[in-house]
Amino acid sequence: MNRLWSALARELEPYVPGEQPRVAGLVKLNTNESPLPPSPRVAPAVAAACEDLRLYPDPDATELRRALAAYHCLAPEQTFVGNGSDEVLAHAFVALLKRDAPLLFPDVTYSFYPVWARLYGVDSAVAPLDAAMRVCVADYRRPAGAIVLANPNAPTGIALPRTEIAALLDDHPDIPVVVDEAYVDFGGETAVPLIASHPNLLIVRTMSKSRALAGLRVGYALGDAGLIEALRRVKDSFNSYPLGRPAQAGAIASLADETYFQASRARVIGWREGMADGLRALGFEVLPSAANFVFARHPERDGAALAAALRQRAVLVRHFRGPRVAPYLRISVGGEDDVARLLEAMAEIVGA
Ligand code: PMP
């Protein structure tokens, strides 16, 4: 704390991202990065884009937005891009989610939502997950200014079917509903087909997970052109050039390689199921995941103690504090070797 800080800076409770260790040889299963590299088409496209680094990038990312529109069968005016989906979500808080009535989100969800709510002075309220850690759309049938949900939810990994998202939208035709589909490519059902009939739906996506581009920082939103226009107004009041030339070019190259994308996500899903089975065999309760991570707890072990014991064995996983989540570990899906090392370390720890 410093007397030169603004009152707001003093009051913030910043989000804490997972550790990015500099130590080699760790099994890194703590930030839901892809165990696979991005499409081989990305690096050459990024390199080519580096020839023009002297020049500012296209502030509207026209070519990338055109590619996203074509990919999702929408119009370019229904797309928006930002420096990671975190930036897109932050803009959505300002552009759409700040209202007189409270913003609703689950008690257990992406822990950045309450951080943005605080940063931007957005009044919020939580709807608890049910006993099985599921989102119940019926719990959102109450006065609200807006709703934000991650689907699949994080850190549970549990997905709602599209019919449930449609029911939620039908319950709330007059308020903005943001669906964060960061993990949808690993087994969720996207709400994109609902955009045509629901002008209040904004879908936020990222290229960090299923496209293995966390280091490039590309996120995007899809929705009615009216909602997108609000995001654009906020972006142009914040940073005209959120995506550099390499990021725009790399993202376009990734979208063009559908075969690689489909093969990668299928492999990650396969590894996830192997990892979940292995954990269950060691006595863990593993929530049904449609993401590139699992949320698991051991009936007799403390979550924080397990995470610390894994770290001693050079395996990094994520542990969150908080009454409902503290018993759990969030473990990102790794490749075959990483999963084997995780299960070996875990077997040692739980004595199986
Ligand atoms: N939404 C959810 C639910 C996430 O878990 C993450 C990753 N921390 C993000 C959005 C942000 O991802 P990125 O900024 O890398 O696009």
Side-chain angles (χ1 to χ4, degrees), residues 214-268:
L216 209 59
R217 307 304 295 128
V218 182
Y220 61 98
L222 306 170
D224 184 75
L227 298 186
I228 297 296
E229 175 63 9
L231 291 175
R232 208 182 56 77
R233 288 169 65 88
V234 172
K235 170 230 165 213
D236 285 333
S237 306
F238 180 84
N239 179 2
S240 309
Y241 306 104
L243 284 190
R245 288 173 174 271
Q248 295 187 27
I252 291 167
S254 170
L255 283 170
D257 198 351
E258 182 66 8
T259 311
Y260 183 87
F261 170 71
Q262 292 298 345
S264 306
R265 71 186 188 118
R267 288 181 78 190
V268 174

Side-chain angles (χ1 to χ4, degrees), residues 15 32 83-87 89 110 113 150 154 180 182-183 205-209 214 217-219 330:
Y15 175 76
N32 300 341
N83 192 257
S85 60
D86 278 341
E87 185 182 82
L89 286 161
Y110 185 28
Y113 302 155
D180 176 354
Y183 300 102
R205 292 280 194 102
T206 179
M207 295 202 172
S208 299
K209 320 289 179 182
R217 307 304 295 128
V218 182
R330 191 199 67 188

